[in-house]
Structures are given as structure tokens and as C-alpha cells.
Amino acid sequence: MTIAFISDLHLSAERPSSISLFCDFMQKSGCQLEEIYILGDLFDYWVGDDGTEALGFTPVEQALKQTTDSGTKIFFIAGNRDFLVGRAFSERTGVKIIEDKTMLELYGQRVMIAHGDQFCIDDTAYMKAREHFLNPDWQQAVLQTSIEDRINEAMNMRTKSEHTKSVNTEEIMDVNQAEIVRIFKEYDLDLMIHGHTHRPYVHQLEIDGKTCRRYVLGEWKRERSVIYANQGKYYLKK
Ligand code: MN
């Protein structure tokens, strides 16, 4: 039984290669996996479940549906780009939407899976913006506007985020170490898997005499970044 974790694919019709890379992965590997966990930012932006066609994501939904139909379970945690993914998407694709910071019990270990942006607390401006876009009232209001308006709003948010990335230091945009340790202690974790920072790596931590690990997934560009878990072993394929 193999489980795969992926994140930060940033699928976009503006980059058709991103979509074919994903569909190819689903067709070739999807049905051989027991479970797939998508840890956010599957889409570069998502404007609501009624925007699939407008954004050119029909093939993505089809690939997900084929994979879930084959018996593979797929779970989805929203990222900061696709937080508007909702119930209709889930019904069409068979993908189960789960909470950010979900706890899994894997091979007798306590594992937390998350998008990862919530650990980047040094970026105070981002944390404030995050609170705003995760607000259900704001999300409901946005979903009432036209698809065109939502696409424009998404482009604005993306431009702002790209600007911020270019002026912020690397440290500010990475996870805060003290926050990571705090979460490991609070949830008594052995392992954490997240994405968002696009810095694929396996970090080893000593917490209260226990050796813990934090796996960070990379973004998908020309290549895919996947963590496979099998029989208690984890493999990060950058
Ligand atoms: Mn992200």
C-alpha cells in the first residue's frame, strides 16, 4: 500500500504543461496508489466550483474523477490559492476535502498534514491577509460576484503575492522554527508533511529527546515533487 503526498502544483491553463504533467501523473500512477493527499495550491487560483470551464480545468477534474473511480482515495487540503474549492468540486471529482492541519495515524506514528502557510508567522502582512481570505463571510460574498470579476480579483491577489515575494527576505517567507516546535509539542507529533514554501527538504528535529521529522514538498514545475509513504518509510522525490 503506497500513499502519495503532493502540493503546490499551481495548475494553470496559462501553463498547459502544468496540466499535462498532472494528468499524466494521475493516469500513470494514480490508480496504483492507495491514497493521495493534495496539500494545497493544486491550482494557481480557483474562483469557485462554477469556474472550472472558464479556467480550463475540465481535464484536471476528469483525471481526478478517473482516479477516484479506480478506487484510489484522494484527499484535498486547501492552500492559499485554492481556498474556494468547495462541495460541487468534491462531488464531481470524488475528492474528499479535509481540514488544514489534519492528523493521520500512519504506521503507528502521529502525522500532521497541512498546507504550511500557517507556520510562516514572521510574515505578518501575509498572516493578516490570510485571516481575511479564509473568512467565510468574505468568501460567500466573493462567490456572489461574476466569474469574470472573480478572475480579475484572483489575478490581483496573485500579482500582489508575487510582488511581496520579490521584496520579502527568504527568512520571512519560510516557516518560523519556534512555531514548528510549538506545533510538534502541542500535537505530540512524530512527523509533519507540508508544502507552500517550495523548499523541498527533510528536516530532522530533536524535540524533548524525540527524533521528529518535517517533510517539505516542492512545487511542480518541469518535474513533479512527491512524497511516497510505504510500509513505514517515506521517500521524497524532488
Ligand atoms: Mn501556498
mmCIF file of all heavy atoms in Angstrom, residues 8 10 40-41 79-81 115 117 126 195-198, ligand 1:
data_model
loop_
_atom_site.group_PDB
_atom_site.id
_atom_site.type_symbol
_atom_site.label_atom_id
_atom_site.label_comp_id
_atom_site.label_asym_id
_atom_site.label_seq_id
_atom_site.Cartn_x
_atom_site.Cartn_y
_atom_site.Cartn_z
ATOM 1 N N ASP A 8 1.306 22.243 -4.192
ATOM 2 C CA ASP A 8 1.913 23.350 -4.952
ATOM 3 C C ASP A 8 2.154 23.028 -6.423
ATOM 4 O O ASP A 8 3.213 23.300 -6.968
ATOM 5 C CB ASP A 8 3.215 23.797 -4.273
ATOM 6 C CG ASP A 8 2.955 24.204 -2.837
ATOM 7 O OD1 ASP A 8 2.491 25.326 -2.617
ATOM 8 O OD2 ASP A 8 3.175 23.367 -1.929
ATOM 9 N N HIS A 10 0.219 24.337 -8.663
ATOM 10 C CA HIS A 10 -0.105 25.632 -9.278
ATOM 11 C C HIS A 10 -0.587 25.459 -10.717
ATOM 12 O O HIS A 10 -0.127 26.155 -11.630
ATOM 13 C CB HIS A 10 1.084 26.589 -9.188
ATOM 14 C CG HIS A 10 1.366 27.030 -7.782
ATOM 15 N ND1 HIS A 10 0.748 28.122 -7.207
ATOM 16 C CD2 HIS A 10 2.160 26.504 -6.823
ATOM 17 C CE1 HIS A 10 1.164 28.256 -5.954
ATOM 18 N NE2 HIS A 10 2.018 27.290 -5.691
ATOM 19 N N GLY A 40 -2.734 21.369 -0.846
ATOM 20 C CA GLY A 40 -2.961 22.782 -1.169
ATOM 21 C C GLY A 40 -2.215 23.317 -2.374
ATOM 22 O O GLY A 40 -1.200 22.777 -2.798
ATOM 23 N N ASP A 41 -2.781 24.377 -2.925
ATOM 24 C CA ASP A 41 -2.253 25.014 -4.126
ATOM 25 C C ASP A 41 -2.108 24.025 -5.287
ATOM 26 O O ASP A 41 -1.141 24.070 -6.035
ATOM 27 C CB ASP A 41 -0.946 25.770 -3.854
ATOM 28 C CG ASP A 41 -1.174 27.006 -2.992
ATOM 29 O OD1 ASP A 41 -2.345 27.316 -2.686
ATOM 30 O OD2 ASP A 41 -0.191 27.673 -2.620
ATOM 31 N N GLY A 79 -5.102 25.350 -0.156
ATOM 32 C CA GLY A 79 -3.954 26.228 0.043
ATOM 33 C C GLY A 79 -4.399 27.676 -0.010
ATOM 34 O O GLY A 79 -5.603 27.971 -0.004
ATOM 35 N N ASN A 80 -3.455 28.569 -0.087
ATOM 36 C CA ASN A 80 -3.796 29.986 -0.127
ATOM 37 C C ASN A 80 -4.191 30.438 -1.526
ATOM 38 O O ASN A 80 -4.537 31.587 -1.736
ATOM 39 C CB ASN A 80 -2.633 30.837 0.399
ATOM 40 C CG ASN A 80 -1.335 30.537 -0.291
ATOM 41 O OD1 ASN A 80 -0.898 29.385 -0.318
ATOM 42 N ND2 ASN A 80 -0.732 31.538 -0.886
ATOM 43 N N ARG A 81 -4.150 29.525 -2.508
ATOM 44 C CA ARG A 81 -4.570 29.869 -3.867
ATOM 45 C C ARG A 81 -5.904 29.233 -4.230
ATOM 46 O O ARG A 81 -6.586 29.700 -5.135
ATOM 47 C CB ARG A 81 -3.526 29.411 -4.892
ATOM 48 C CG ARG A 81 -2.140 29.982 -4.692
ATOM 49 C CD ARG A 81 -2.129 31.488 -4.874
ATOM 50 N NE ARG A 81 -0.775 31.974 -5.028
ATOM 51 C CZ ARG A 81 -0.204 32.198 -6.220
ATOM 52 N NH1 ARG A 81 -0.879 32.000 -7.325
ATOM 53 N NH2 ARG A 81 1.028 32.636 -6.285
ATOM 54 N N HIS A 115 -1.140 22.656 4.719
ATOM 55 C CA HIS A 115 -0.586 23.377 3.575
ATOM 56 C C HIS A 115 0.777 23.958 3.941
ATOM 57 O O HIS A 115 1.727 23.844 3.190
ATOM 58 C CB HIS A 115 -1.540 24.466 3.084
ATOM 59 C CG HIS A 115 -0.974 25.207 1.907
ATOM 60 N ND1 HIS A 115 -0.557 24.557 0.773
ATOM 61 C CD2 HIS A 115 -0.710 26.527 1.700
ATOM 62 C CE1 HIS A 115 -0.074 25.444 -0.089
ATOM 63 N NE2 HIS A 115 -0.142 26.641 0.442
ATOM 64 N N ASP A 117 1.292 27.338 5.102
ATOM 65 C CA ASP A 117 1.363 28.813 5.198
ATOM 66 C C ASP A 117 1.112 29.304 6.621
ATOM 67 O O ASP A 117 1.640 30.338 7.019
ATOM 68 C CB ASP A 117 0.406 29.486 4.202
ATOM 69 C CG ASP A 117 -1.038 29.052 4.363
ATOM 70 O OD1 ASP A 117 -1.279 27.928 4.857
ATOM 71 O OD2 ASP A 117 -1.931 29.829 3.987
ATOM 72 N N TYR A 126 1.196 38.875 5.502
ATOM 73 C CA TYR A 126 0.548 37.716 4.904
ATOM 74 C C TYR A 126 -0.452 37.081 5.870
ATOM 75 O O TYR A 126 -1.563 36.723 5.482
ATOM 76 C CB TYR A 126 1.575 36.661 4.451
ATOM 77 C CG TYR A 126 0.896 35.401 4.000
ATOM 78 C CD1 TYR A 126 0.268 35.356 2.756
ATOM 79 C CD2 TYR A 126 0.788 34.300 4.834
ATOM 80 C CE1 TYR A 126 -0.430 34.236 2.359
ATOM 81 C CE2 TYR A 126 0.088 33.176 4.452
ATOM 82 C CZ TYR A 126 -0.518 33.147 3.208
ATOM 83 O OH TYR A 126 -1.225 32.035 2.832
ATOM 84 N N GLY A 195 3.603 21.789 2.440
ATOM 85 C CA GLY A 195 4.143 22.409 1.231
ATOM 86 C C GLY A 195 4.263 23.904 1.425
ATOM 87 O O GLY A 195 4.758 24.360 2.451
ATOM 88 N N HIS A 196 3.815 24.647 0.458
ATOM 89 C CA HIS A 196 3.704 26.096 0.454
ATOM 90 C C HIS A 196 5.017 26.854 0.224
ATOM 91 O O HIS A 196 5.053 27.783 -0.557
ATOM 92 C CB HIS A 196 3.030 26.624 1.721
ATOM 93 C CG HIS A 196 2.884 28.116 1.737
ATOM 94 N ND1 HIS A 196 2.038 28.780 0.870
ATOM 95 C CD2 HIS A 196 3.488 29.077 2.480
ATOM 96 C CE1 HIS A 196 2.132 30.086 1.096
ATOM 97 N NE2 HIS A 196 3.007 30.288 2.052
ATOM 98 N N THR A 197 6.082 26.473 0.927
ATOM 99 C CA THR A 197 7.308 27.280 0.847
ATOM 100 C C THR A 197 8.136 26.966 -0.399
ATOM 101 O O THR A 197 9.071 27.712 -0.713
ATOM 102 C CB THR A 197 8.191 27.050 2.097
ATOM 103 O OG1 THR A 197 8.494 25.652 2.191
ATOM 104 C CG2 THR A 197 7.475 27.489 3.364
ATOM 105 N N HIS A 198 7.796 25.879 -1.081
ATOM 106 C CA HIS A 198 8.535 25.458 -2.280
ATOM 107 C C HIS A 198 10.007 25.186 -1.955
ATOM 108 O O HIS A 198 10.888 25.506 -2.753
ATOM 109 C CB HIS A 198 8.433 26.519 -3.402
ATOM 110 C CG HIS A 198 7.030 26.815 -3.833
ATOM 111 N ND1 HIS A 198 6.738 27.648 -4.906
ATOM 112 C CD2 HIS A 198 5.830 26.402 -3.364
ATOM 113 C CE1 HIS A 198 5.419 27.738 -5.056
ATOM 114 N NE2 HIS A 198 4.853 26.997 -4.123
HETATM 115 MN MN MN B 1 0.750 28.210 -0.848
#
